[in-house]
Amino acid sequence: MKAKEFNPLRLDVQVFAREGGALQGQWPLEELPRLASSQHEEAAPAGRQVAWSAEGERVERLGAEAQTWLHLKARATVVLECQRCLQPVEEALEVERSFRFVHGEAEAEAQDNDSEEDVLALTRALDLRELVEDELILALPIVPRHDACPVPLPMAAEDDPEPEAPAESEARPEQPNPFAVLAQLKKGRSSS
Protein backbone atom coordinates (compact mmCIF):
# COMPACT_ATOMS: atom_id res chain seq x y z
CA MET A 1 0.00 0.00 0.00
CA LYS A 2 1.36 3.39 -1.03
CA ALA A 3 2.16 5.81 1.83
CA LYS A 4 -0.04 8.90 1.96
CA GLU A 5 1.60 12.02 0.57
CA PHE A 6 1.42 15.19 2.63
CA ASN A 7 1.76 18.80 1.52
CA PRO A 8 3.90 20.72 4.07
CA LEU A 9 2.23 24.00 3.10
CA ARG A 10 -1.28 22.63 3.78
CA LEU A 11 -0.72 19.91 6.36
CA ASP A 12 -3.66 18.13 7.99
CA VAL A 13 -1.90 17.58 11.32
CA GLN A 14 -4.45 15.12 12.70
CA VAL A 15 -4.18 12.79 9.69
CA PHE A 16 -0.39 13.29 9.58
CA ALA A 17 -0.12 12.19 13.24
CA ARG A 18 -2.55 9.29 12.82
CA GLU A 19 -0.54 8.00 9.86
CA GLY A 20 2.78 8.50 11.68
CA GLY A 21 3.79 10.75 8.78
CA ALA A 22 7.27 12.08 8.21
CA LEU A 23 8.40 14.93 5.96
CA GLN A 24 11.72 16.63 5.36
CA GLY A 25 13.23 19.03 2.90
CA GLN A 26 14.81 22.40 2.29
CA TRP A 27 13.39 25.80 1.48
CA PRO A 28 15.36 28.74 0.07
CA LEU A 29 15.81 31.38 2.78
CA GLU A 30 14.11 34.00 0.58
CA GLU A 31 10.88 31.93 0.84
CA LEU A 32 10.85 32.81 4.57
CA PRO A 33 10.64 36.60 4.11
CA ARG A 34 10.44 37.61 7.79
CA LEU A 35 13.56 35.60 8.63
CA ALA A 36 15.35 36.80 5.48
CA SER A 37 14.60 40.45 6.36
CA SER A 38 16.38 40.07 9.72
CA GLN A 39 19.70 39.67 7.91
CA HIS A 40 22.48 42.27 7.63
CA GLU A 41 21.88 44.67 4.74
CA GLU A 42 24.99 43.39 2.94
CA ALA A 43 23.89 39.73 3.21
CA ALA A 44 22.02 38.27 0.28
CA PRO A 45 19.72 35.35 1.13
CA ALA A 46 20.22 33.86 -2.36
CA GLY A 47 21.63 30.36 -2.15
CA ARG A 48 21.01 29.97 1.58
CA GLN A 49 18.77 27.06 2.57
CA VAL A 50 16.58 26.22 5.55
CA ALA A 51 16.67 22.46 6.28
CA TRP A 52 13.70 21.01 8.14
CA SER A 53 11.96 17.79 9.12
CA ALA A 54 8.61 16.98 10.73
CA GLU A 55 7.13 13.83 12.23
CA GLY A 56 3.56 13.19 13.34
CA GLU A 57 2.70 11.07 16.36
CA ARG A 58 -0.57 9.92 17.88
CA VAL A 59 -0.28 9.05 21.57
CA GLU A 60 -3.02 6.74 22.87
CA ARG A 61 -4.14 7.34 26.46
CA LEU A 62 -6.19 5.02 28.66
CA GLY A 63 -9.67 6.46 29.24
CA ALA A 64 -8.92 9.71 27.37
CA GLU A 65 -8.76 11.01 23.84
CA ALA A 66 -5.52 10.25 21.99
CA GLN A 67 -3.06 13.15 21.74
CA THR A 68 -1.88 14.55 18.43
CA TRP A 69 1.79 15.55 18.32
CA LEU A 70 4.04 17.18 15.74
CA HIS A 71 7.83 16.99 16.22
CA LEU A 72 9.71 19.65 14.28
CA LYS A 73 13.41 20.23 13.58
CA ALA A 74 14.92 23.05 11.54
CA ARG A 75 18.29 24.65 10.96
CA ALA A 76 19.61 27.58 8.97
CA THR A 77 22.55 29.95 8.89
CA VAL A 78 21.74 33.65 8.70
CA VAL A 79 23.96 36.72 8.51
CA LEU A 80 23.08 39.30 11.16
CA GLU A 81 24.60 42.62 12.21
CA CYS A 82 27.14 42.41 15.02
CA GLN A 83 26.04 44.76 17.79
CA ARG A 84 29.65 45.67 18.63
CA CYS A 85 31.29 46.38 15.26
CA LEU A 86 28.16 46.59 13.03
CA GLN A 87 29.77 44.16 10.54
CA PRO A 88 28.06 40.99 9.24
CA VAL A 89 28.22 37.99 11.58
CA GLU A 90 27.06 34.46 10.69
CA GLU A 91 24.72 32.79 13.17
CA ALA A 92 23.76 29.12 12.99
CA LEU A 93 20.17 28.60 14.11
CA GLU A 94 18.85 25.23 15.17
CA VAL A 95 15.46 24.38 16.65
CA GLU A 96 13.89 21.17 17.86
CA ARG A 97 10.33 21.53 19.16
CA SER A 98 7.34 19.32 19.84
CA PHE A 99 3.77 20.61 19.65
CA ARG A 100 0.64 19.03 21.06
CA PHE A 101 -2.53 19.85 19.16
CA VAL A 102 -6.00 20.29 20.67
CA HIS A 103 -9.43 21.26 19.28
CA GLY A 104 -10.06 25.00 19.10
CA GLU A 105 -8.08 28.18 19.76
CA ALA A 106 -9.64 28.76 23.21
CA GLU A 107 -8.69 25.25 24.36
CA ALA A 108 -5.16 25.66 22.98
CA GLU A 109 -4.71 28.99 24.77
CA ALA A 110 -6.05 27.65 28.08
CA GLN A 111 -3.87 24.53 27.98
CA ASP A 112 -0.79 26.40 26.76
CA ASN A 113 -0.98 28.71 29.80
CA ASP A 114 -1.36 25.78 32.23
CA SER A 115 1.17 23.41 30.67
CA GLU A 116 4.89 23.30 30.04
CA GLU A 117 4.14 21.75 26.63
CA ASP A 118 3.70 23.84 23.49
CA VAL A 119 -0.01 23.58 22.65
CA LEU A 120 -1.52 24.65 19.32
CA ALA A 121 -5.01 24.49 17.84
CA LEU A 122 -5.69 21.73 15.31
CA THR A 123 -6.07 22.86 11.75
CA ARG A 124 -6.71 21.00 8.51
CA ALA A 125 -4.21 23.20 6.67
CA LEU A 126 -1.14 24.01 8.78
CA ASP A 127 1.59 25.86 6.89
CA LEU A 128 4.74 24.11 8.12
CA ARG A 129 6.97 26.67 6.43
CA GLU A 130 5.35 29.44 8.48
CA LEU A 131 5.76 27.42 11.69
CA VAL A 132 9.43 26.75 10.87
CA GLU A 133 9.95 30.46 10.19
CA ASP A 134 8.31 31.41 13.51
CA GLU A 135 10.55 29.01 15.44
CA LEU A 136 13.75 30.16 13.71
CA ILE A 137 12.87 33.80 14.39
CA LEU A 138 12.41 32.93 18.07
CA ALA A 139 15.87 31.30 17.97
CA LEU A 140 17.58 34.50 16.73
CA PRO A 141 20.07 35.87 19.28
CA ILE A 142 18.88 39.01 21.05
CA VAL A 143 22.33 40.60 20.72
CA PRO A 144 24.24 39.06 17.81
CA ARG A 145 28.00 39.61 17.92
CA HIS A 146 31.33 38.14 16.92
CA ASP A 147 33.43 36.28 19.48
CA ALA A 148 36.26 38.54 18.27
CA CYS A 149 35.31 41.37 15.92
CA PRO A 150 37.25 41.42 12.60
CA VAL A 151 37.70 45.21 12.69
CA PRO A 152 38.95 47.39 15.56
CA LEU A 153 36.13 48.68 17.70
CA PRO A 154 35.62 52.44 17.92
CA MET A 155 36.22 53.35 21.53
CA ALA A 156 34.84 56.63 22.83
CA ALA A 157 37.70 57.04 25.33
CA GLU A 158 40.32 56.67 22.59
CA ASP A 159 38.55 59.07 20.24
CA ASP A 160 38.53 61.93 22.75
CA PRO A 161 42.02 63.24 23.55
CA GLU A 162 42.84 63.58 27.26
CA PRO A 163 42.21 67.14 28.46
CA GLU A 164 45.48 68.86 29.26
CA ALA A 165 46.11 70.08 32.80
CA PRO A 166 45.92 73.86 33.02
CA ALA A 167 49.17 75.73 33.51
CA GLU A 168 50.01 76.89 37.07
CA SER A 169 49.07 80.48 36.25
CA GLU A 170 45.71 79.34 34.85
CA ALA A 171 44.91 77.15 37.86
CA ARG A 172 41.74 78.15 39.66
CA PRO A 173 42.23 79.76 43.05
CA GLU A 174 41.71 77.34 45.90
CA GLN A 175 38.12 77.40 47.12
CA PRO A 176 37.56 77.53 50.88
CA ASN A 177 36.34 74.33 52.47
CA PRO A 178 32.64 74.79 53.34
CA PHE A 179 33.22 72.86 56.59
CA ALA A 180 36.12 75.06 57.68
CA VAL A 181 33.79 77.19 59.82
CA LEU A 182 32.51 74.08 61.59
CA ALA A 183 36.08 72.95 62.23
CA GLN A 184 36.88 76.38 63.75
CA LEU A 185 33.83 76.16 66.03
CA LYS A 186 34.85 72.69 67.23
CA LYS A 187 38.40 73.91 67.84
CA GLY A 188 37.07 76.87 69.85
CA ARG A 189 34.97 74.58 72.07
CA SER A 190 37.77 72.11 72.75
CA SER A 191 40.20 74.84 73.81
CA SER A 192 37.81 76.41 76.35
Side-chain angles (χ1 to χ4, degrees), residues 168-191:
E168 247 350 275
S169 59
E170 296 174 11
R172 292 191 325 198
E174 203 171 304
Q175 298 289 324
N177 183 336
F179 298 103
V181 174
L182 185 58
Q184 291 297 328
L185 286 174
K186 279 187 166 185
K187 202 184 268 187
R189 281 190 184 165
S190 62
S191 60

Side-chain angles (χ1 to χ4, degrees), residues 4 22 59 84 107-108 113-114 120 123 146 152 158 171 173 181 186:
K4 186 170 178 62
V59 177
R84 283 192 292 220
E107 181 69 18
N113 290 337
D114 298 337
L120 297 176
T123 175
H146 295 100
E158 291 175 9
V181 174
K186 279 187 166 185

Side-chain angles (χ1 to χ4, degrees), residues 9-186:
L9 303 183
R10 295 188 53 79
L11 186 65
D12 185 329
V13 178
Q14 198 162 22
V15 174
F16 186 64
R18 190 171 60 235
E19 299 280 328
L23 289 169
Q24 64 180 12
Q26 291 190 339
W27 289 307
L29 182 56
E30 58 262 28
E31 288 184 14
L32 285 72
R34 291 175 296 134
L35 182 61
S37 70
S38 70
Q39 293 209 108
H40 189 278
E41 60 187 22
E42 294 175 19
R48 293 191 179 269
Q49 298 288 315
V50 175
W52 61 274
S53 67
E55 292 180 7
E57 180 184 20
R58 184 179 165 92
V59 177
E60 300 294 339
R61 299 184 304 155
L62 194 60
E65 185 181 353
Q67 292 181 336
T68 298
W69 285 87
L70 177 71
H71 307 291
L72 183 68
K73 293 180 184 177
R75 67 180 187 282
T77 300
V78 293
V79 181
L80 305 176
E81 184 173 278
C82 173
Q83 296 301 294
R84 283 192 292 220
C85 68
L86 307 180
Q87 297 301 307
V89 57
E90 276 199 357
E91 290 285 350
L93 307 177
E94 198 160 332
V95 295
E96 186 170 345
R97 300 289 297 275
S98 291
F99 303 93
R100 182 167 57 85
F101 285 80
V102 297
H103 296 283
E105 291 287 343
E107 181 69 18
E109 189 174 329
Q111 288 194 31
D112 195 40
N113 290 337
D114 298 337
S115 170
E116 290 184 14
E117 300 167 343
D118 290 314
V119 183
L120 297 176
L122 267 173
T123 175
R124 292 179 60 87
L126 175 71
D127 187 339
L128 259 185
R129 185 168 57 197
E130 195 172 280
L131 183 59
V132 164
E133 183 174 30
D134 288 345
E135 294 306 313
L136 288 172
I137 287 171
L138 288 172
L140 287 170
I142 295 170
V143 182
R145 59 180 175 229
H146 295 100
D147 291 332
C149 291
V151 294
L153 300 178
M155 300 298 281
E158 291 175 9
D159 291 346
D160 298 334
E162 290 268 335
E164 291 182 23
E168 247 350 275
S169 59
E170 296 174 11
R172 292 191 325 198
E174 203 171 304
Q175 298 289 324
N177 183 336
F179 298 103
V181 174
L182 185 58
Q184 291 297 328
L185 286 174
K186 279 187 166 185

